[in-house]
Amino acid sequence: MEIQALKIKAAQIRMDLLTIIHRAKTGHTGGSLSNTDILTALYYEVMNIDPSNPKRADRDRFIASKGHSVESLWCVLADLGFFPKEELETYSQFGTRLIGHPNNKVPGIEMNTGALGHGLPISVGMALAAKRDGQSYRVFCLMGDGEQAEGSNWEAAMAGAHYKLDNLVGIIDRNGLQISGSTEDVMGLEPLEDKWAAFGWNVISVDGNDMEQLVRTFRSAPEVEGKPTLIVANTVKGKGVSFAENVPAWHHHVPNDEQLELALAELSATIDQLSQEGQVHRS
């Protein structure tokens, strides 16, 4: 897909995730909005996946360690055809497969995740298995920045470097906010890049809401042979909805009817603008 088309797709995914959160009256809105560009770049342009054969042996693996921000992932998987899009209407309803964290009863989900700090250790194991089995697939693990307070991440970081897992790509959704406020007030992380580099990872910092940067960076990993890659994706929590951006309360705030209408109108206007820009570019 062209970069402009990916941006439009990300806006459409944001509209979908807001709609299912509003319908279910539950969800993690801010983090799902901030990680949508990351997921769009990975799933529509970078990863080797096949919705018609989700268990194909050579598929790239994606682990959503920050599993509470699952709504964007559900919407991406449905849009790609891993399961019927109509099933999104059951999100967080009684008996649904589409619960509030990734659930491996759903095609396209590798592992149940959401207990923070568990995703990267799982990803290290998957990447190590690929190396030992002579497989070429890559493993992508999306973490939250608040999640960096979990010690298991740093044990996994040490192991990833020790085993020279250059088929492993860790991503931190660095939006600077967590449930109780700023990450730097709750548990300071800086200098975050230096810490990961000291653990033996090749560290890249990008604008996590810039589609072109994301696609280019994900495609190029690994840049350094024998080292796992850590991408610090600097994002805006609540991205795409002006009144939700950088507002801590939107971590798990559910939009009311009026807020949903306003948000969908903003995103629809964004799509219109991107479409016009694309037409101008092509002409």
PDB file of all heavy atoms in Angstrom, residues 13 36 39-40 43-44 71-83 88:
ATOM      1  N   ILE A  13      -9.348   2.513  10.956  1.00  0.00           N
ATOM      2  CA  ILE A  13      -9.229   1.621  12.118  1.00  0.00           C
ATOM      3  C   ILE A  13      -9.571   2.376  13.400  1.00  0.00           C
ATOM      4  O   ILE A  13     -10.247   1.845  14.295  1.00  0.00           O
ATOM      5  CB  ILE A  13      -7.805   1.024  12.198  1.00  0.00           C
ATOM      6  CG1 ILE A  13      -7.528   0.115  10.996  1.00  0.00           C
ATOM      7  CG2 ILE A  13      -7.606   0.273  13.513  1.00  0.00           C
ATOM      8  CD1 ILE A  13      -8.422  -1.093  10.883  1.00  0.00           C
ATOM      9  N   THR A  36      -2.310   2.620  16.855  1.00  0.00           N
ATOM     10  CA  THR A  36      -2.941   2.247  15.586  1.00  0.00           C
ATOM     11  C   THR A  36      -1.995   2.377  14.398  1.00  0.00           C
ATOM     12  O   THR A  36      -1.983   1.518  13.504  1.00  0.00           O
ATOM     13  CB  THR A  36      -4.204   3.098  15.347  1.00  0.00           C
ATOM     14  OG1 THR A  36      -5.171   2.794  16.363  1.00  0.00           O
ATOM     15  CG2 THR A  36      -4.815   2.813  13.993  1.00  0.00           C
ATOM     16  N   LEU A  39       0.396  -0.640  14.344  1.00  0.00           N
ATOM     17  CA  LEU A  39      -0.241  -1.865  13.876  1.00  0.00           C
ATOM     18  C   LEU A  39      -0.527  -1.806  12.380  1.00  0.00           C
ATOM     19  O   LEU A  39      -0.367  -2.800  11.660  1.00  0.00           O
ATOM     20  CB  LEU A  39      -1.543  -2.108  14.637  1.00  0.00           C
ATOM     21  CG  LEU A  39      -1.425  -2.372  16.134  1.00  0.00           C
ATOM     22  CD1 LEU A  39      -2.796  -2.649  16.730  1.00  0.00           C
ATOM     23  CD2 LEU A  39      -0.493  -3.534  16.413  1.00  0.00           C
ATOM     24  N   THR A  40      -0.956  -0.650  11.905  1.00  0.00           N
ATOM     25  CA  THR A  40      -1.260  -0.511  10.479  1.00  0.00           C
ATOM     26  C   THR A  40      -0.012  -0.733   9.632  1.00  0.00           C
ATOM     27  O   THR A  40      -0.045  -1.451   8.625  1.00  0.00           O
ATOM     28  CB  THR A  40      -1.865   0.873  10.200  1.00  0.00           C
ATOM     29  OG1 THR A  40      -3.050   1.039  10.991  1.00  0.00           O
ATOM     30  CG2 THR A  40      -2.225   1.024   8.737  1.00  0.00           C
ATOM     31  N   TYR A  43       0.921  -4.658   9.941  1.00  0.00           N
ATOM     32  CA  TYR A  43       0.007  -5.658   9.386  1.00  0.00           C
ATOM     33  C   TYR A  43      -0.299  -5.454   7.908  1.00  0.00           C
ATOM     34  O   TYR A  43      -0.518  -6.427   7.180  1.00  0.00           O
ATOM     35  CB  TYR A  43      -1.294  -5.681  10.183  1.00  0.00           C
ATOM     36  CG  TYR A  43      -1.230  -6.586  11.383  1.00  0.00           C
ATOM     37  CD1 TYR A  43      -0.804  -6.106  12.617  1.00  0.00           C
ATOM     38  CD2 TYR A  43      -1.570  -7.926  11.291  1.00  0.00           C
ATOM     39  CE1 TYR A  43      -0.724  -6.940  13.725  1.00  0.00           C
ATOM     40  CE2 TYR A  43      -1.487  -8.768  12.385  1.00  0.00           C
ATOM     41  CZ  TYR A  43      -1.072  -8.270  13.601  1.00  0.00           C
ATOM     42  OH  TYR A  43      -0.987  -9.106  14.685  1.00  0.00           O
ATOM     43  N   TYR A  44      -0.310  -4.225   7.445  1.00  0.00           N
ATOM     44  CA  TYR A  44      -0.689  -3.977   6.057  1.00  0.00           C
ATOM     45  C   TYR A  44       0.501  -3.845   5.118  1.00  0.00           C
ATOM     46  O   TYR A  44       0.320  -3.886   3.904  1.00  0.00           O
ATOM     47  CB  TYR A  44      -1.561  -2.722   5.964  1.00  0.00           C
ATOM     48  CG  TYR A  44      -2.921  -2.887   6.599  1.00  0.00           C
ATOM     49  CD1 TYR A  44      -3.104  -2.599   7.941  1.00  0.00           C
ATOM     50  CD2 TYR A  44      -4.005  -3.323   5.855  1.00  0.00           C
ATOM     51  CE1 TYR A  44      -4.348  -2.753   8.537  1.00  0.00           C
ATOM     52  CE2 TYR A  44      -5.261  -3.476   6.440  1.00  0.00           C
ATOM     53  CZ  TYR A  44      -5.423  -3.191   7.783  1.00  0.00           C
ATOM     54  OH  TYR A  44      -6.653  -3.345   8.371  1.00  0.00           O
ATOM     55  N   GLU A  71      -8.204  -3.138  21.340  1.00  0.00           N
ATOM     56  CA  GLU A  71      -9.280  -2.788  20.412  1.00  0.00           C
ATOM     57  C   GLU A  71      -8.767  -2.495  19.005  1.00  0.00           C
ATOM     58  O   GLU A  71      -9.372  -2.910  18.005  1.00  0.00           O
ATOM     59  CB  GLU A  71     -10.067  -1.591  20.952  1.00  0.00           C
ATOM     60  CG  GLU A  71     -10.828  -1.878  22.234  1.00  0.00           C
ATOM     61  CD  GLU A  71      -9.973  -1.752  23.488  1.00  0.00           C
ATOM     62  OE1 GLU A  71      -8.824  -1.279  23.390  1.00  0.00           O
ATOM     63  OE2 GLU A  71     -10.461  -2.134  24.570  1.00  0.00           O
ATOM     64  N   SER A  72      -7.649  -1.803  18.903  1.00  0.00           N
ATOM     65  CA  SER A  72      -7.070  -1.534  17.577  1.00  0.00           C
ATOM     66  C   SER A  72      -6.654  -2.828  16.904  1.00  0.00           C
ATOM     67  O   SER A  72      -6.833  -2.994  15.684  1.00  0.00           O
ATOM     68  CB  SER A  72      -5.871  -0.587  17.703  1.00  0.00           C
ATOM     69  OG  SER A  72      -4.993  -1.009  18.727  1.00  0.00           O
ATOM     70  N   LEU A  73      -6.126  -3.777  17.662  1.00  0.00           N
ATOM     71  CA  LEU A  73      -5.715  -5.064  17.103  1.00  0.00           C
ATOM     72  C   LEU A  73      -6.920  -5.851  16.601  1.00  0.00           C
ATOM     73  O   LEU A  73      -6.882  -6.436  15.516  1.00  0.00           O
ATOM     74  CB  LEU A  73      -4.934  -5.868  18.136  1.00  0.00           C
ATOM     75  CG  LEU A  73      -4.433  -7.244  17.701  1.00  0.00           C
ATOM     76  CD1 LEU A  73      -3.543  -7.144  16.462  1.00  0.00           C
ATOM     77  CD2 LEU A  73      -3.682  -7.924  18.850  1.00  0.00           C
ATOM     78  N   TRP A  74      -8.005  -5.893  17.381  1.00  0.00           N
ATOM     79  CA  TRP A  74      -9.217  -6.582  16.915  1.00  0.00           C
ATOM     80  C   TRP A  74      -9.695  -5.994  15.594  1.00  0.00           C
ATOM     81  O   TRP A  74     -10.063  -6.724  14.669  1.00  0.00           O
ATOM     82  CB  TRP A  74     -10.334  -6.487  17.945  1.00  0.00           C
ATOM     83  CG  TRP A  74     -10.198  -7.270  19.211  1.00  0.00           C
ATOM     84  CD1 TRP A  74     -10.641  -6.898  20.455  1.00  0.00           C
ATOM     85  CD2 TRP A  74      -9.630  -8.580  19.399  1.00  0.00           C
ATOM     86  NE1 TRP A  74     -10.367  -7.860  21.396  1.00  0.00           N
ATOM     87  CE2 TRP A  74      -9.746  -8.915  20.766  1.00  0.00           C
ATOM     88  CE3 TRP A  74      -9.012  -9.488  18.548  1.00  0.00           C
ATOM     89  CZ2 TRP A  74      -9.282 -10.122  21.282  1.00  0.00           C
ATOM     90  CZ3 TRP A  74      -8.541 -10.697  19.073  1.00  0.00           C
ATOM     91  CH2 TRP A  74      -8.679 -10.998  20.423  1.00  0.00           C
ATOM     92  N   CYS A  75      -9.676  -4.679  15.500  1.00  0.00           N
ATOM     93  CA  CYS A  75     -10.184  -4.021  14.287  1.00  0.00           C
ATOM     94  C   CYS A  75      -9.294  -4.294  13.080  1.00  0.00           C
ATOM     95  O   CYS A  75      -9.791  -4.490  11.959  1.00  0.00           O
ATOM     96  CB  CYS A  75     -10.339  -2.524  14.524  1.00  0.00           C
ATOM     97  SG  CYS A  75     -11.641  -2.116  15.716  1.00  0.00           S
ATOM     98  N   VAL A  76      -7.978  -4.343  13.289  1.00  0.00           N
ATOM     99  CA  VAL A  76      -7.055  -4.665  12.204  1.00  0.00           C
ATOM    100  C   VAL A  76      -7.276  -6.104  11.727  1.00  0.00           C
ATOM    101  O   VAL A  76      -7.379  -6.373  10.524  1.00  0.00           O
ATOM    102  CB  VAL A  76      -5.592  -4.455  12.649  1.00  0.00           C
ATOM    103  CG1 VAL A  76      -4.619  -5.119  11.680  1.00  0.00           C
ATOM    104  CG2 VAL A  76      -5.289  -2.965  12.774  1.00  0.00           C
ATOM    105  N   LEU A  77      -7.343  -7.039  12.660  1.00  0.00           N
ATOM    106  CA  LEU A  77      -7.513  -8.448  12.286  1.00  0.00           C
ATOM    107  C   LEU A  77      -8.835  -8.674  11.553  1.00  0.00           C
ATOM    108  O   LEU A  77      -8.889  -9.428  10.568  1.00  0.00           O
ATOM    109  CB  LEU A  77      -7.431  -9.337  13.524  1.00  0.00           C
ATOM    110  CG  LEU A  77      -6.073  -9.408  14.239  1.00  0.00           C
ATOM    111  CD1 LEU A  77      -6.160 -10.274  15.479  1.00  0.00           C
ATOM    112  CD2 LEU A  77      -4.985  -9.919  13.305  1.00  0.00           C
ATOM    113  N   ALA A  78      -9.885  -8.013  12.020  1.00  0.00           N
ATOM    114  CA  ALA A  78     -11.176  -8.154  11.346  1.00  0.00           C
ATOM    115  C   ALA A  78     -11.127  -7.561   9.949  1.00  0.00           C
ATOM    116  O   ALA A  78     -11.642  -8.153   8.984  1.00  0.00           O
ATOM    117  CB  ALA A  78     -12.266  -7.475  12.171  1.00  0.00           C
ATOM    118  N   ASP A  79     -10.511  -6.404   9.808  1.00  0.00           N
ATOM    119  CA  ASP A  79     -10.438  -5.748   8.510  1.00  0.00           C
ATOM    120  C   ASP A  79      -9.655  -6.592   7.504  1.00  0.00           C
ATOM    121  O   ASP A  79      -9.985  -6.611   6.308  1.00  0.00           O
ATOM    122  CB  ASP A  79      -9.786  -4.370   8.664  1.00  0.00           C
ATOM    123  CG  ASP A  79      -9.782  -3.579   7.364  1.00  0.00           C
ATOM    124  OD1 ASP A  79     -10.869  -3.181   6.908  1.00  0.00           O
ATOM    125  OD2 ASP A  79      -8.693  -3.370   6.797  1.00  0.00           O
ATOM    126  N   LEU A  80      -8.646  -7.300   7.981  1.00  0.00           N
ATOM    127  CA  LEU A  80      -7.831  -8.132   7.101  1.00  0.00           C
ATOM    128  C   LEU A  80      -8.476  -9.483   6.794  1.00  0.00           C
ATOM    129  O   LEU A  80      -7.998 -10.206   5.914  1.00  0.00           O
ATOM    130  CB  LEU A  80      -6.453  -8.358   7.717  1.00  0.00           C
ATOM    131  CG  LEU A  80      -5.508  -7.151   7.677  1.00  0.00           C
ATOM    132  CD1 LEU A  80      -4.293  -7.391   8.559  1.00  0.00           C
ATOM    133  CD2 LEU A  80      -5.068  -6.875   6.248  1.00  0.00           C
ATOM    134  N   GLY A  81      -9.519  -9.839   7.536  1.00  0.00           N
ATOM    135  CA  GLY A  81     -10.218 -11.082   7.256  1.00  0.00           C
ATOM    136  C   GLY A  81      -9.800 -12.268   8.100  1.00  0.00           C
ATOM    137  O   GLY A  81     -10.117 -13.417   7.760  1.00  0.00           O
ATOM    138  N   PHE A  82      -9.128 -12.035   9.222  1.00  0.00           N
ATOM    139  CA  PHE A  82      -8.815 -13.147  10.123  1.00  0.00           C
ATOM    140  C   PHE A  82     -10.089 -13.712  10.753  1.00  0.00           C
ATOM    141  O   PHE A  82     -10.146 -14.887  11.101  1.00  0.00           O
ATOM    142  CB  PHE A  82      -7.852 -12.688  11.224  1.00  0.00           C
ATOM    143  CG  PHE A  82      -6.421 -12.603  10.775  1.00  0.00           C
ATOM    144  CD1 PHE A  82      -5.904 -11.425  10.258  1.00  0.00           C
ATOM    145  CD2 PHE A  82      -5.585 -13.703  10.861  1.00  0.00           C
ATOM    146  CE1 PHE A  82      -4.576 -11.338   9.840  1.00  0.00           C
ATOM    147  CE2 PHE A  82      -4.256 -13.637  10.458  1.00  0.00           C
ATOM    148  CZ  PHE A  82      -3.760 -12.443   9.941  1.00  0.00           C
ATOM    149  N   PHE A  83     -11.080 -12.876  10.918  1.00  0.00           N
ATOM    150  CA  PHE A  83     -12.411 -13.301  11.365  1.00  0.00           C
ATOM    151  C   PHE A  83     -13.421 -12.318  10.800  1.00  0.00           C
ATOM    152  O   PHE A  83     -13.046 -11.218  10.368  1.00  0.00           O
ATOM    153  CB  PHE A  83     -12.489 -13.391  12.900  1.00  0.00           C
ATOM    154  CG  PHE A  83     -12.188 -12.111  13.621  1.00  0.00           C
ATOM    155  CD1 PHE A  83     -13.180 -11.164  13.867  1.00  0.00           C
ATOM    156  CD2 PHE A  83     -10.902 -11.839  14.088  1.00  0.00           C
ATOM    157  CE1 PHE A  83     -12.916  -9.988  14.542  1.00  0.00           C
ATOM    158  CE2 PHE A  83     -10.615 -10.660  14.769  1.00  0.00           C
ATOM    159  CZ  PHE A  83     -11.627  -9.730  14.992  1.00  0.00           C
ATOM    160  N   LEU A  88     -16.975  -7.976  15.376  1.00  0.00           N
ATOM    161  CA  LEU A  88     -16.584  -6.835  16.206  1.00  0.00           C
ATOM    162  C   LEU A  88     -17.743  -6.328  17.053  1.00  0.00           C
ATOM    163  O   LEU A  88     -17.529  -5.763  18.132  1.00  0.00           O
ATOM    164  CB  LEU A  88     -16.058  -5.696  15.327  1.00  0.00           C
ATOM    165  CG  LEU A  88     -14.693  -5.891  14.660  1.00  0.00           C
ATOM    166  CD1 LEU A  88     -14.403  -4.730  13.719  1.00  0.00           C
ATOM    167  CD2 LEU A  88     -13.587  -6.019  15.707  1.00  0.00           C
TER     168      LEU A  88
END
